[in-house]
């Protein structure tokens, strides 16, 4: 990672934190407990991978900053809501997230349920309030379509359902890949595509290149997650390590082994770079993000 | 109720059932358990009040049937998801809904959580896939904005949060009204406004009239719900009767008493009629729906 990339990343992360706060109702607005808990779930933590991807993809086409900010925040709200619901007792039953008590621990289960529901709605509010004098409404409608599909049963929720159904089963590599492409890949792709759509309508070749890049980083993200779950400690991760093995969940490490998983992540990093070739220098940040996703330690 | 109204209602209900089924992924599509459970939650029951309102409001401006169908289905999916989550053990913990086991009973809690999440996404998918050769994308963006606001913390989720926080408290009539205007009123208004927007852009006077109508029927709906909860039996209601009193929840009946609650519902019915005066004969179905909401027995 270069110092310039590091500076860019910190700038986007700080800007996203600020945008996310601005796009949420105030904690003093009724119902205050729900709004406080939404802020607790969304603010003050996280690597902001999805906003980083949205901004990096926006840079491909010099997208308007106000529209990229909405794209980034909308995707991050969907991600944050999914974490709140996934952590609940009826799902993964996890007490720790980003080094803090999860929402149902810090508040209660009913509040956690509502926080997730309301954050999903808020993601669509954030897109819906984009200024259609800046972004053509037909393009905004395309952004809605991408986000809604990525969130639902053909995307993130569908992946989570497959994940639940596969506990204790022995999955093939292809089945594991399908599950992760839905569970995490769909939303990472949405971050990339929404960021790019903030800049211009995408032609078929551009969409195909972004899809190829998204597929590669989506899988790499999960492979590296599995490697870290098997090798890092809870304090570094900010969440309970070794949980997948304890829950008897299929992972890349359990199917392929540790070293082959690391090699796969590196292959996917190179695939991501190759997919970006048509965009030239404008894709610098997207290339660096692929490196970050594969080389991260937490 | 006239025979013509009854025929219209049955036609819309049957059409909505058909549309809702068509707007859901097939039960045979992966993940099949999630898709089956989404169908279980959404199809085969319910009074379809929100689709009826959307179609009746669409009739004000001769809206395109394909767009009204999407407006109606999107609002009904938000409603259905909220019922699935509200019934869960950490919320109302109810085992019976529309005479059938609730989703977390028929399936399991994790599935119920995902069904709600995915139905909310699907509502936005249904709007997003509207044909922008039929509806101008700027008007579609306005529909997104109305639905997202009505669903989130400034709408339905916010009302549910206030409801949770008010168990065991003694609410004033104004506080009870605010809670219900968010919890049920916001989505009933969305049904009306989305149906109307399917027909044309709304000017300020039209929006004000529809708001006034929506406010009146929204409150009437809840007042009548409270009256029925206090007077009808579970078999008639298709859900557990007397539950509000058992849960020590504030209701119109507990604050005002039974007969004053009935009188309030009648006053609201007349207010709803008055609000529709500017629309003349085109508002026939909206008037009849106000009557239905107040005079229903379940």
């Amino acid at each position: 990672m270069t110092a310039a990339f590091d500076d860019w990343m910190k700038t986007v992360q700080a800007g996203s934190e600020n945008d996310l706060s601005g796009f949420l109702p105030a904690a003093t607005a009724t119902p205050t407990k729900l709004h406080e808990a939404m802020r607790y779930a969304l603010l003050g933590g996280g690597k902001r991978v999805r906003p980083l991807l949205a901004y990096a993809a926006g840079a491909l086409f010099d997208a308007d900053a106000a529209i990229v900010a909405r794209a980034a925040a909308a995707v991050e709200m969907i991600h944050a809501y999914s974490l709140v619901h996934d952590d609940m007792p009826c799902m993964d039953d996890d007490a720790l997230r980003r080094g803090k008590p999860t929402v149902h621990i810090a508040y209660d289960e009913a509040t956690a349920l509502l926080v997730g529901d309301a954050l999903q709605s808020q993601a669509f509010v954030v897109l819906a309030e984009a200024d259609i004098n800046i972004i053509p409404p037909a393009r905004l409608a395309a952004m809605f379509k991408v986000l809604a599909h990525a969130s639902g049963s053909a995307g993130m929720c569908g992946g989570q359902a497959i994940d639940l159904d596969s506990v204790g089963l022995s999955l093939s590599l292809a089945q594991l890949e399908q599950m992760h492409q839905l569970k995490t890949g769909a939303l990472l792709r949405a971050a990339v595509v929404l960021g790019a759509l903030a800049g211009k309508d995408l032609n078929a070749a551009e969409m195909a290149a972004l899809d190829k890049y998204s597929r590669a980083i989506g899988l790499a993200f999960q492979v590296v997650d599995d490697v870290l779950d098997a090798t890092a400690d809870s304090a570094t991760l900010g969440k309970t390590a070794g949980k997948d093995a304890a829950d008897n969940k299929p992972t890349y490490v359990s199917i392929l082994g540790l070293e082959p998983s690391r090699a796969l992540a590196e292959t996917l990093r190179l695939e991501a770079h190759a997919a970006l070739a048509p965009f030239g220098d404008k894709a610098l940040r997207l290339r660096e993000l692929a490196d970050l996703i594969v080389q991260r330690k937490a």
Side-chain angles (χ1 to χ4, degrees), chain A:
Chain A
M1 309 292 140
T2 66
F5 174 69
D6 210 51
D7 285 349
W8 172 81
M9 192 168 66
K10 285 182 178 133
T11 302
V12 171
Q13 285 168 330
S16 287
E17 184 76 12
N18 198 46
D19 290 338
L20 288 168
S21 178
F23 289 143
L24 282 180
T28 52
T30 301
T32 53
K33 183 177 167 193
L34 177 62
H35 287 141
E36 273 171 28
M38 288 168 76
R39 291 180 166 269
Y40 180 86
L42 185 64
L43 303 178
K47 297 180 284 283
R48 306 301 186 208
V49 172
R50 291 152 195 81
L52 288 164
L53 286 169
Y55 273 91
L60 289 178
F61 307 120
D62 303 309
D64 182 274
I67 305 300
V68 179
R70 287 184 182 276
V75 176
E76 190 69 0
M77 285 179 183
I78 296 286
H79 173 58
Y81 113 67
S82 78
L83 298 183
V84 174
H85 281 184
D86 287 1
D87 286 336
M88 286 179 69
C90 67
M91 300 282 267
D92 289 352
D93 193 15
D94 217 323
L96 195 64
R97 166 74 65 184
R98 295 172 181 167
K100 297 192 303 185
T102 47
V103 176
H104 67 277
I105 299 288
Y107 293 84
D108 53 63
E109 279 186 58
T111 300
L113 183 55
L114 284 176
V115 162
D117 291 346
L119 280 176
Q120 178 168 191
S121 306
Q122 193 65 20
F124 291 102
V125 166
V126 167
L127 277 193
E129 292 192 332
D131 184 348
I132 58 173
N133 296 308
I134 299 180
I135 181 161
R139 185 127 51 81
L140 186 60
M143 292 172 75
F144 266 109
K145 197 184 292 195
V146 170
L147 187 65
H149 274 286
S151 302
S153 72
M156 188 183 72
C157 286
Q160 183 67 14
I162 296 173
D163 192 13
L164 278 176
D165 289 345
S166 65
V167 173
L169 297 184
S170 105
L171 293 194
S172 69
L173 201 61
Q175 288 171 317
L176 190 68
E177 176 172 331
Q178 187 211 16
M179 186 258 282
H180 288 307
Q181 284 296 19
L182 294 176
K183 188 178 171 189
T184 50
L187 205 55
L188 293 170
R189 174 183 180 271
V192 171
V193 174
L194 262 65
L197 280 171
K200 73 186 262 303
D201 295 330
L202 301 177
N203 64 38
E206 289 160 345
M207 189 64 98
L210 293 177
D211 272 342
K212 202 172 160 194
Y213 170 81
S214 301
R215 179 193 164 279
I217 61 154
L219 275 188
F221 191 89
Q222 191 56 48
V223 173
V224 172
D225 246 23
D226 288 352
V227 168
L228 291 171
D229 186 72
T231 58
D233 57 68
S234 300
T236 308
L237 292 181
K239 63 182 178 182
T240 311
K243 201 161 161 44
D244 291 339
D247 290 350
N248 199 21
K249 283 194 179 180
T251 72
Y252 283 96
V253 174
S254 71
I255 294 181
L256 292 179
L258 190 58
E259 283 312 316
S261 296
R262 286 184 169 133
L264 174 60
E266 176 60 14
T267 302
L268 291 166
R269 188 181 72 83
L270 297 176
E271 279 182 25
H273 279 238
L276 296 172
F279 302 114
D281 289 349
K282 292 265 193 185
L284 173 64
R285 298 306 181 205
L286 284 176
R287 270 191 292 275
E288 291 173 322
L289 284 171
D291 298 344
L292 177 74
I293 283 168
V294 171
Q295 291 157 6
R296 70 200 161 101
K297 301 295 173 211

